[in-house]
Amino acid sequence: MSWDHNEPRDGFVVPPVPPMPTAPPPAPPDGWRAAAVALLNLCGLGLGYALVRRWGLMAACWVATAVLLLVALPADPDGVSGGVLGTYLVLLGIAAVHGAIVGLRTRLVWPAKAWLAAALGLVLLAVPAGSAFLYGDARDEATEQMLLDRLERADDLVRAAGKQSFASGEADYRRALTVYGDLRDDHPGSRAAARVPDRLKTYYTTVGSPYARQDYCDAVVPLKYLRTVPRTMGEKELGALATWPDDRLATSLYECGSQSLTGGAADWTTHYGELLADFPQSEQAAGVGPAVDTAVDKAVKEVGGGEPCAAVARLESLTSQVTGLNGDRAGLAEALDKDADRAERGADSGTYACGVDQYRDGSFAEAVTTMNDFVRDNGDHKMRARAKKIAIAAEIAQTVPAAGKRLPTTASGGGISVTVKNDSPDDITVLYTGPVTGSFTLKACGSCTSYSLAGTVGLGFEPCSDSGKNYPQRTIRLPAGTTYFVHKSKNGLGKSPASDTAKLSAGYIYTECAYTTSFGY
């Protein structure tokens, strides 16, 4: 027999049993709980959701934080992009607000007291705050490493440039200097910037290394470049380095100029000129006057050596070079003027020795020019008369090389009469050399004409034989021996000189006849 639970029994009515609830009933609103869940969610790990049993949302917070860590680590100087960081902070804000709403009416799994959970949330806020602080340090260190790498690359440029000539490495030097300047100006508190002063010392010694090797000419350009560095880096910041190149450049200019001066190169005036202009009161500038003095003395002495023409050319060059050199030091300008005058006098005097050397070497055309210049420029020189004789003999030797075998003397006269007549319509210059050397001019024969070349061939040709003509003539006295004659027209352009070799003996009277043909003498 069944019994219905709702039926009365013994006069009692049994009340109905209510259904079992599917979830805990909402807790009364509690601001502490809401604050606790919100604060715990702000730590980025979704711990607030864990306390209200929202496991999926907690996992979402973990995923968001993990993504942020993957993007942010390892730290680099640029840090996390604003978009990623902004998105993460918005998600944190949403998690905090949503957690507060959920926690307002949801009991916490733990702890029992909501205020304690809120206090824990405040404590755990130190995690993201500390992480941000540590990340900032990591960013700073990454920035330092980046700057140190940049410094190292600049150092590499300097080392590489130091193994080349300055011209080849200049671009690398300039790039490295730009890096040093940027590190110092843009990142003054960095470890890299603190190392820049030492790097600049290395920079200067590397650029100026030719000076340390005593390659003074090679050192001039790099040392000039180093004097421009203060325009970029500032004299105050460079300290003693700002004037580091000055004395070295002065020494290099002097030494390089001295090498050029001694070696006969023309660029010594450039180096000495820059030295006198840029460092006029320096010890090196004081050496310019004595160096020029020595060079002039040496060239003057070399006039009497085996290469007098080279010595004369050297003195002529020194004359113009020294004249163009200016000096502001007391007494230097006067000393240089004296050196220029002495070099000019030495060149003028040495011209005679040069002409003699050219004559003896068989360079007769050059000897003619040199001796004529000497005669023109030295009106009262004791060797002027002989220079004239040598010029005549050299001119004859261009037509009759045998005439140049002996250097002529200043002897004159002789016991043999030689008469030279002019059977030519041109004025004739007669040159002769042998025991005696000289020249004279015969006027043109007004009634004479040029002979045809064919008419001069054969035994019947006898110039100066027409008794009806008054031939211009001149008689000279010559010693016995071989005398070489050359006759040349003074106004017959394109006509070649004629020559004659006469072996003169005592007791005879000789006649020379000058004439012209349609093709020359």
Side-chain angles (χ1 to χ4, degrees), residues 48-61:
Y49 284 134
L51 295 185
V52 293
R53 298 174 298 278
R54 298 295 195 272
W55 311 112
L57 293 174
M58 183 187 72
C61 290

Side-chain angles (χ1 to χ4, degrees), residues 219-220 223-224 227 245-254 279:
V220 169
L223 289 172
K224 285 182 181 179
R227 295 190 79 207
D246 292 353
D247 186 69
R248 291 168 173 80
L249 177 57
T251 299
S252 297
L253 288 170
Y254 175 79
F279 308 100

Side-chain angles (χ1 to χ4, degrees), residues 461-476:
F461 176 65
E462 293 184 11
C464 300
S465 60
D466 189 341
S467 59
K469 292 183 179 180
N470 184 21
Y471 298 108
Q473 59 183 311
R474 181 172 175 175
T475 299
I476 56 176

